[in-house]
Amino acid sequence: MGKSFFDEGRRDKIAIFNLFFREAPDKNNWAVVSGVREALQMIQGLGCEDVSFFEKFLPGDDYKKFREYLSTMKFSGQVYAMKEGEIAFPKQPIITIVGPIIEAQVLETPLLCIMNHQMAIATKASRVTRSTSKPVSEFGSRRAHGPWAAEYGAKAAFIGGCANSSNILAGIEFGFPSSGTMAHSYTTSYGCNIEGELKAFNTYINTHRGEGLILLVDTFDTLKCGVKNAIRAFRENGIDDNYKPGYGIRLDSGDLAYLSRRCREMLDAAGLKKCKIFATNALDEYIISEIERQDAKIDSYGVGDAIATSKHNPCFGNVYKLVQFDGEPVLKRSEDKVKLINPGFQVTYRIIQDGKFKADVTCLRGDSFSKTIEAGEYLEIVDEKDETKRTSFESGSYTYKELQELIYDNGQVFEDNRTIYEKRDYYKSNLASLNETQTRIINPHYYKVDISDDLYDMKMHLINKLMNQITLMDKGEDVAHVVVDMLYDFIDGSLACGNAENAVKLDVEYITNHPENKVYYVADHHPANHSSFKENGGIWPAHCVAGTHGGSIHSEFYKLGHNAPSKENTFYKATEVEKEEYSGYEARREDGTKLADLLPKNVIISGIATEYCIRETIFNLIKGGHTVYLRENALGYIEEEGHNRVLAELSRISVKII
């Protein structure tokens, strides 16, 4: 794709991509953001390889210039992102990339690789840690999908609420504590007998005195020997409730709820009431919730593969979609409704009332809804899928925060200098700001997430245009294209209109790309003394006089081969001195044939000016029983406000905007 953009000369066109997810895992409706730090590091790394690297997979002379371009390419755009520890909802931009199309497009796979992995882990860690009020340690490195995943997964798990991790490298890199206990192999290395177990415990205590001491008690039999040997070892080595670093036992098999209760009884009876019980054994949020329900006496948990691989949902659903290109909003439409995206350059506002998060609204940057929010004015949020669901906020009753911040601008990095603890605390603060019904593990209440009216209108406008184009294509040859008044006086002459030059350009391109459509041209053909001219008491300056340059069809249309203007396909209106005629429906060609008599059922309209000749021509076409498709971008207009008003009017009478 990059080479195509490069060769075509589009490499400097500005693209906007959004990274977001459509559905949260485990039938929840939110996720925890992690990975932005590493994503930013990756973006900064563009352009660090020389040409020889790219030659390995882009060989040959055809790729020479493109290889040279890639070898020096740095990201020159902007990056907006949610903070690590933020709670994100479906379709909200987690990262927005704004930059030249090749630079922005090439980020897709590495961004998704980083963000999908870390958000899967952080979100799963959130679920596991929400299943209990006890501390949870991340113990999953041995199950992770490689060393890189183990390290950065541990970081994501910490942000998502874990107390620590067994991954020492992650602890060093990010500045949080590493934690671990002995393995069964340590115990069996002293012999496969209960005397060996006791010796293992004694040796461990003596070689780690002054540290936290956790003894693994289920190597042979938890209750009949393991706990008994642990109690004996603690006593013989002077470890009791006065031991400040803390001490405890670990359960790693069996009925953890039952065993923890029995162990607690035995430890308390021995006077070791502050001895902690730590539990592992393929735990997840569902198992922990059930253990807690059964009144287990467990003080903390270690969770491995359920977090490290996000076991129930190992593939997080972030996607990376183009939402705007060269200033024009775009979207991807799909037969699957969930895949429909929001177009345009967006920002999300979180509405806060009485210290609680009440709703999120994603807006087009600078749109009317965003201005209302920023001004603190009366706000009414209407559910995109159900207009009966409305939530209102009185003026001055709420505050807000923007969720996407500028973190990179053409090489300048705006560092997030928060510690890993501050990122975790930020997540916990966000969690506490949700209603508790929205944070439960099973069947949570869904938080209100919406889009602004302007974003909704833009989205539906693009969808409707696209569907009208698809419908039109499906009509085959039963289509005619009527080009109205693409005349020089309306383009650069006495009545020059807005968007006229662009309308010509886009219309010529369209006709070139659709040679199957029969094209008809309508032209004002005024006598020099026409009654509509100001000098004759009318309202318009003299324009489009027959036989003048100003009354001629733009020369670009004459390059269209069989669809160029000719005597056979050009029709004239307003040819009588006393008759003003805006509509082209009754226009006649030189032999007297009326345009209305030649038109098929389906008619495409383009031309000038929206408020007058376009509007009246379409009204007559509708009365004549035609289905009208209006080329929105190929219209010239007197005033943009009037143009937009007429487009809205025409939409209401079933004109199909394309």
Side-chain angles (χ1 to χ4, degrees), residues 151-365:
E151 179 182 353
Y152 291 102
K155 170 230 174 179
F158 192 84
I159 289 176
C162 286
N164 49 53
S165 170
S166 64
N167 192 295
I168 294 170
L169 186 59
I172 294 170
E173 172 74 14
F174 300 105
F176 60 79
S178 301
S179 176
T181 71
M182 64 175 64
H184 295 106
S185 60
Y186 176 79
T187 299
T188 57
S189 72
Y190 287 89
C192 189
N193 52 70
I194 58 175
E195 291 82 7
E197 183 179 56
L198 177 61
K199 186 174 182 180
F201 291 168
N202 284 325
T203 304
Y204 191 84
I205 290 170
N206 285 317
T207 54
H208 292 279
R209 192 176 294 273
E211 305 171 23
L213 300 170
I214 304 293
L215 304 181
L216 179 58
V217 298
D218 74 333
T219 303
F220 303 126
D221 188 290
T222 300
L223 299 178
K224 293 179 180 179
C225 64
V227 176
K228 292 178 180 179
N229 274 333
I231 292 171
R232 180 178 173 183
F234 286 139
R235 282 176 167 171
E236 291 178 355
N237 290 282
I239 306 299
D240 57 23
D241 287 355
N242 295 314
Y243 183 69
K244 291 184 179 180
Y247 69 111
I249 62 171
R250 175 159 75 101
L251 306 176
D252 190 49
S253 61
D255 185 335
L256 296 178
Y258 168 75
L259 291 174
S260 69
R261 291 195 299 270
R262 288 293 311 278
C263 287
R264 185 75 271 159
E265 292 170 0
M266 295 170 70
L267 292 167
D268 288 352
L272 304 177
K273 294 185 177 182
K274 291 186 179 180
C275 182
K276 302 296 185 183
I277 300 176
F278 182 59
T280 55
N281 187 26
L283 299 174
D284 59 30
E285 65 268 41
Y286 303 106
I287 295 172
I288 291 175
S289 294
E290 186 62 20
I291 290 173
E292 295 276 294
R293 189 186 67 82
Q294 294 175 27
D295 193 30
K297 302 301 181 182
I298 295 169
D299 297 291
S300 61
Y301 296 91
V303 179
D305 54 1
I307 291 177
T309 66
S310 185
K311 191 172 183 178
H312 298 109
N313 287 276
C315 182
F316 195 84
N318 278 323
V319 294
Y320 186 77
K321 297 299 179 184
L322 185 68
V323 295
Q324 186 165 301
F325 183 74
D326 197 22
E328 294 295 324
V330 298
L331 56 74
K332 174 189 180 294
R333 181 187 170 272
S334 173
E335 299 296 333
D336 189 348
K337 289 184 179 180
V338 75
K339 290 191 173 183
L340 182 63
I341 70 172
N342 294 324
F345 191 13
Q346 302 158 33
V347 61
T348 304
Y349 295 89
R350 182 153 289 164
I351 308 301
I352 306 167
Q353 197 173 53
D354 300 325
K356 291 289 186 179
F357 298 159
K358 295 298 183 180
D360 284 9
V361 184
T362 298
C363 305
L364 294 168
R365 287 180 177 263

Side-chain angles (χ1 to χ4, degrees), residues 490-535:
F490 292 133
I491 297 165
D492 59 10
S494 59
L495 256 176
C497 290
N499 197 52
E501 287 282 3
N502 190 49
V504 170
K505 175 177 175 290
L506 294 177
D507 225 23
V508 169
E509 288 179 2
Y510 184 85
I511 294 169
T512 300
N513 292 330
H514 296 83
E516 73 280 4
N517 294 338
K518 180 70 174 177
V519 179
Y520 297 105
Y521 296 88
V522 170
D524 267 357
H525 205 59
H526 296 307
N529 59 344
H530 196 266
S531 60
S532 69
F533 298 165
K534 287 182 178 179
E535 60 196 61

